[in-house]
Amino acid sequence: MLRKILYTYPSVLGLLKALVYKLVYGGSLKFVGLPHVSRTATIRIRKGASARIGRTSNLSDGVILSVAGNGQFSVGDRTSMGFYSVITCRHKIIIGNNVMIAPHVSMYDHDHVIHTDGTMREEGYTHGEIVIGDNVWLGDHVTILKGVHIGEGAVIAAGSLVTKDVPANSIFYNKREN
């Protein structure tokens, strides 16, 4: 009976999952209001890192949010993260209010340091914060890399690789050459 209720009313299961995450991560995870965390979404916060998820924000099925190192992650109110999006934060990612993140979006605020004389695992990282303004729309399969600031009201076209700042109220797309 309980299983039927939980699967019939996914918002109940999302609320329960959010509460479990809050218990597990304590002060490292702050929920403002009641976000919806899908039953298949995953939140990982390592020691020393922190995350804040705004009021009525939504983490859809398959979303992976990983905050490690001294990472600081923050998402505003009424923001939705689409199915199977992956956000990996080791430094700082700030996402504004009313942001629409389509399925399969990836964000990485760091890169591996690569040297030929050591192992990749021991080389460390370079960092650059990602800031996404209010009312931004990120299309399907967008990838955002470290050091990018996306201005308020911008639209990022599906399939784009964003490596530089995007001005407010603009449309960004990658032109592919044949």
Side-chain angles (χ1 to χ4, degrees), residues 85 99-106 136-144 154-160 162 172:
S85 291
V99 175
M100 296 184 299
I101 301 173
H104 304 282
V105 168
S106 300
V136 169
W137 182 10
L138 304 176
D140 195 272
H141 285 90
V142 164
T143 300
I144 300 172
V155 175
I156 310 299
S160 293
V162 186
F172 176 89

Side-chain angles (χ1 to χ4, degrees), residues 12-54:
V12 171
L13 186 59
L15 178 60
L16 291 173
K17 188 162 187 177
L19 291 173
V20 168
Y21 275 126
K22 184 61 182 158
L23 288 172
V24 169
Y25 292 118
S28 297
L29 176 60
K30 179 178 182 183
F31 288 125
V32 179
L34 298 174
H36 177 264
V37 180
S38 168
R39 64 186 176 93
T40 60
T42 302
I43 299 174
R44 297 181 192 128
I45 303 173
R46 303 278 195 245
K47 186 177 181 180
S50 64
R52 176 199 176 277
I53 299 177

Side-chain angles (χ1 to χ4, degrees), residues 28 54 107 112 114 126 145 148 161 176:
S28 297
M107 293 181 209
H112 287 273
I114 300 173
T126 59
L145 299 181
V148 169
L161 173 64
R176 303 209 190 280

Side-chain angles (χ1 to χ4, degrees), residues 100-158:
M100 296 184 299
I101 301 173
H104 304 282
V105 168
S106 300
M107 293 181 209
Y108 306 97
D109 68 350
H110 61 283
D111 287 328
H112 287 273
V113 174
I114 300 173
H115 296 290
T116 57
D117 59 348
T119 59
M120 180 84 63
R121 187 174 302 274
E122 298 168 354
E123 297 295 337
Y125 301 94
T126 59
H127 304 99
E129 73 178 16
I130 295 173
V131 177
I132 299 173
D134 296 341
N135 303 308
V136 169
W137 182 10
L138 304 176
D140 195 272
H141 285 90
V142 164
T143 300
I144 300 172
L145 299 181
K146 71 176 185 171
V148 169
H149 291 224
I150 298 175
E152 181 175 344
V155 175
I156 310 299

